[in-house]
Amino acid sequence: MVIVAQSFGALFGLLAVIFGAFGAHALKKTFSEDQLKSFETGVKYQMYHAIVLIILGFNLNLISVLESYMIYCFIVGTFLFSFSIYGLTFSSSKGKKLRVLGPITPLGGLLLVIGWALLLWNFIEGFI
């Protein structure tokens, strides 16, 4: 599980830098200010969770079921949250907003919240 967390952390970090640069330069011409802000939110959350995955990979054994679920929540949550935002902003900028992606964003956010709650529980278990 450690290699999974670190690999997805590195991949999400790599893509966040690429998407952030793309958004800062190429998308300013085609995106509205609100679309750029939404896109940047996706990039920020993707980078935050990339860093979390890498740190957890280095600092936890990631062998318990709870830790596995936590990592999966962060990976799937990041993908659903950030990439649905990317899809929504791109489709909206083309005038064909993919409304099917709308409910996916909060589902990804919920998985991120669950991942953080599992991390908190993991810490609390360590003190008990």
Side-chain angles (χ1 to χ4, degrees), residues 48-115:
Y48 298 152
H49 290 90
I51 294 166
V52 166
L53 286 166
I54 291 169
I55 290 171
L56 291 176
F58 280 114
N59 290 294
L60 297 178
N61 293 328
L62 302 179
I63 55 175
S64 74
V65 172
L66 181 134
E67 291 172 333
S68 294
Y69 285 149
M70 174 184 56
I71 295 301
Y72 289 132
C73 283
F74 283 140
I75 291 170
V76 175
T78 300
F79 181 78
L80 293 178
F81 183 82
S82 292
F83 285 80
S84 65
I85 289 175
Y86 304 149
L88 284 166
T89 56
F90 273 106
S91 64
S92 180
S93 74
K94 303 294 183 198
K96 299 177 183 180
K97 190 171 186 177
L98 294 174
R99 296 194 187 279
V100 70
L101 294 177
I104 294 174
T105 306
L107 178 60
L110 177 62
L111 287 171
L112 293 175
V113 169
I114 292 169

